[in-house]
């Protein structure tokens, strides 16, 4: 089996690549040209670099995507690449649309043309529910995205659905809630916290600045979420969309408290609240009901948030001690 992963060097892409290699897949992945020149952007795939085939591809360009599909000829395609930072101010919205929406259309159009039996996974997001009218959300909940990121994920969801229903392509969307790990990008709050705790513990810095610490999230463990993705493309029931979540919510304050407790410190002594990191239109009640994927595919989130936090903090301490 040959798999293509867009954004293979990201948190999810790299875990998925490792998982598929362990299942004897031939693994191909796309990376932006600019990332190939930057060692920091390749750190997640360093250990498997020789085992995978990297393609430099601009997903905003149809010809580039078409050539990619004709060259790789994948059996499974996991479209994970996206401009993924959520903001509600609509800054730089056209470039987010180009990256997130057009790439989905280009991939599906090329697959239909060149590899119509290729199965397609699209990485949806809880941000599609945005200002949700019900909580927890499930596969029937109405979308009401509030961020440009959420809008691009929702519009892509409908493209995927239409390729499935009208073009007979095996295409589906995993509506994943937040999922974290030691490979999380530093722009997200969990990694920002774990790295800051590590720096404070090692005496490199003396405080952490955050925005709304009462915000709550349904936080899972990334290495488990990529198994859900693979299961969805190997679903005996055929292609359908699933919520991928833990069904539990915790506040940023709770995360912070536990992260500091890993090194026996109290967060109150080191925390500064900075209004720059607040998101004005943010709603806090996004929590996923993943009973459908549990019933159909026997997938459920297992790792406790406490364990995820400990792994992240200890990993950041090791990285800093090693000068990485
Ligand atoms: O870690 P975050 O930036 O993640 P967010 O916005 O929930 O988005 C992530 O999860 C989505 C759902 O799966 C994905 F679609 C998306 O691509 C991404 O992976 O923020 C989490 C919470 C927010 O409520 C934010 O307001 O943390 C709050 N927060 C408080 N202080 C902060 C900070 N977030 C960041 N990034 N930085 C802060 O200083």
């Amino acid at each position: 089996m040959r798999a293509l992963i867009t954004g293979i060097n990201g948190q999810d892409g790299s875990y998925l690549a490792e998982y598929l290699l362990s299942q004897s897949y031939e693994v191909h992945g796309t990376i932006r040209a600019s990332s190939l020149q930057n060692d920091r952007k390749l750190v997640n795939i360093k250990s498997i670099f020789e085992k995978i085939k990297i393609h430099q591809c601009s997903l905003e360009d149809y010809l580039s995507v078409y050539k990619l599909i004709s060259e790789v000829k994948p059996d499974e395609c996991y479209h994970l690449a996206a401009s993924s930072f959520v903001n509600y101010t609509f800054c730089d919205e056209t470039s987010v649309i180009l990256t997130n929406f057009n790439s989905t259309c280009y991939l599906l159009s090329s697959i239909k043309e060149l590899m119509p039996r290729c199965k397609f996974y699209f990485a949806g997001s809880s941000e599609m529910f945005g200002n949700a009218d019900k909580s927890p959300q499930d596969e029937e909940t109405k979308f009401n995205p509030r961020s440009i990121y959420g809008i691009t994920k929702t519009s892509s969801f409908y493209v995927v659905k239409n390729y499935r229903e009208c073009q007979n392509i095996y295409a589906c969307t995993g509506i994943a809630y937040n999922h974290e790990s030691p490979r999380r990008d530093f722009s997200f709050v969990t990694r920002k916290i774990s790295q800051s705790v590590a720096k404070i513990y090692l005496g490199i810095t003396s405080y952490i600045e955050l925005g709304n610490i009462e915000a709550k999230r349904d936080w899972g463990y990334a290495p488990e979420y990529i198994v859900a993705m693979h299961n969805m493309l190997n679903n005996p029931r055929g292609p359908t969309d699933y919520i991928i979540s833990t069904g539990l919510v915790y506040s940023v304050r709770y995360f912070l408290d536990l992260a500091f407790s890993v090194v026996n410190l109290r967060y109150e002594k080191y925390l500064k609240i900075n209004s720059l990191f607040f998101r004005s239109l943010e709603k806090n009640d996004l929590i996923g009901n993943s009973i459908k994927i549990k019933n159909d595919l026997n997938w459920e989130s297992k790792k406790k948030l406490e364990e995820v936090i400990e792994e992240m903090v200890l990993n950041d301490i090791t990285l800093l001690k090693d000068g990485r």
Side-chain angles (χ1 to χ4, degrees):
M1 290 290 282
R2 193 177 304 129
L4 172 65
I5 304 171
T6 68
I8 195 169
N9 53 330
Q11 169 186 261
D12 294 2
S14 60
Y15 283 122
L16 180 61
E18 286 167 17
Y19 180 73
L20 294 177
L21 285 171
S22 78
Q23 307 284 313
S24 303
Y25 275 68
E26 181 182 316
V27 178
H28 295 244
T30 69
I31 291 192
R32 282 176 183 278
S34 55
S35 300
L36 269 178
Q37 321 302 331
N38 183 344
D39 278 356
R40 281 184 178 273
K41 299 266 184 192
L42 301 176
V43 67
N44 292 335
I45 49 171
K46 207 172 158 195
S47 65
I48 53 168
F49 208 78
E50 304 303 326
K51 298 182 185 149
I52 56 181
K53 175 93 174 71
I54 298 293
H55 301 262
Q56 180 187 312
C57 176
S58 166
L59 296 171
E60 293 95 348
D61 176 54
Y62 184 60
L63 186 59
S64 200
V65 172
Y66 189 88
K67 281 183 177 164
L68 173 76
I69 299 296
S70 67
E71 200 180 315
V72 177
K73 298 190 173 52
D75 300 298
E76 294 178 3
C77 175
Y78 297 85
H79 182 29
L80 312 183
S83 170
S84 63
F85 191 71
V86 177
N87 82 55
Y88 299 92
T89 57
F90 278 56
C91 75
D92 201 20
E93 76 268 30
T94 43
S95 101
V96 177
I97 291 168
L98 278 181
T99 306
N100 293 3
F101 180 69
N102 289 11
S103 59
T104 313
C105 298
Y106 297 159
L107 280 162
L108 279 165
S109 165
S110 306
I111 284 171
K112 181 186 160 219
E113 200 62 28
L114 300 163
M115 289 296 291
R117 293 174 69 101
C118 171
K119 297 178 180 178
F120 184 82
Y121 174 89
F122 173 64
S125 159
S126 58
E127 281 295 311
M128 290 155 59
F129 295 118
N131 191 7
D133 60 7
K134 119 175 186 204
S135 202
Q137 297 81 41
D138 59 29
E139 290 80 1
E140 305 306 319
T141 306
K142 207 172 85 195
F143 296 131
N144 194 10
R146 280 290 186 257
S147 58
I148 194 69
Y149 170 81
I151 292 169
T152 61
K153 289 286 175 179
T154 307
S155 46
S156 292
F157 168 90
Y158 285 111
V159 173
V160 172
K161 185 172 187 287
N162 274 277
Y163 268 90
R164 176 172 73 233
E165 292 175 355
C166 310
Q167 307 292 331
N168 212 20
I169 300 286
Y170 188 121
C172 51
T173 298
I175 304 173
Y177 285 60
N178 298 47
H179 42 289
E180 317 300 312
S181 78
R183 296 186 192 170
R184 192 58 149 143
D185 190 86
F186 294 102
S187 57
F188 298 103
V189 76
T190 55
R191 189 72 194 278
K192 182 175 173 182
I193 292 173
S194 67
Q195 194 196 43
S196 299
V197 169
K199 282 185 175 171
I200 290 168
Y201 174 69
L202 296 172
I204 299 167
T205 187
S206 56
Y207 64 92
I208 173 169
E209 280 190 314
L210 293 172
N212 179 13
I213 63 166
E214 304 313 332
K216 294 194 175 90
R217 284 293 184 271
D218 179 331
W219 276 303
Y221 185 51
E224 293 178 348
Y225 283 42
I226 57 93
V227 177
M229 298 174 191
H230 180 248
N231 290 352
M232 284 177 61
L233 291 199
N234 293 278
N235 188 348
R237 293 162 191 269
T240 180
D241 308 315
Y242 289 103
I243 298 278
I244 308 173
S245 67
T246 68
L248 300 168
V249 274
Y250 295 99
S251 64
V252 174
R253 182 193 291 279
Y254 179 80
F255 194 104
L256 189 63
D257 190 19
L258 287 193
F260 272 93
S261 72
V262 172
V263 291
N264 290 320
L265 294 174
R266 298 285 310 156
Y267 75 89
E268 293 88 340
K269 212 175 141 193
Y270 307 96
L271 175 65
K272 293 185 185 177
I273 297 296
N274 187 332
S275 57
L276 268 182
F277 298 114
F278 272 77
R279 301 178 194 174
S280 57
L281 291 170
E282 182 166 61
K283 294 287 289 180
N284 290 332
D285 46 4
L286 289 178
I287 166 169
N289 175 355
S290 50
I291 193 72
K292 181 180 169 194
I293 194 165
K294 181 172 183 340
N295 288 342
D296 287 4
L297 297 171
N298 200 23
W299 181 92
E300 64 184 322
S301 150
K302 294 217 170 75
K303 190 151 170 155
K304 289 197 169 71
L305 184 61
E306 292 80 348
E307 295 168 322
V308 180
I309 295 172
E310 185 175 18
E311 188 182 331
M312 291 177 72
V313 171
L314 296 180
N315 172 70
D316 275 323
I317 292 174
T318 307
L319 289 182
L320 288 167
K321 277 186 175 166
D322 293 352
R324 283 184 280 154

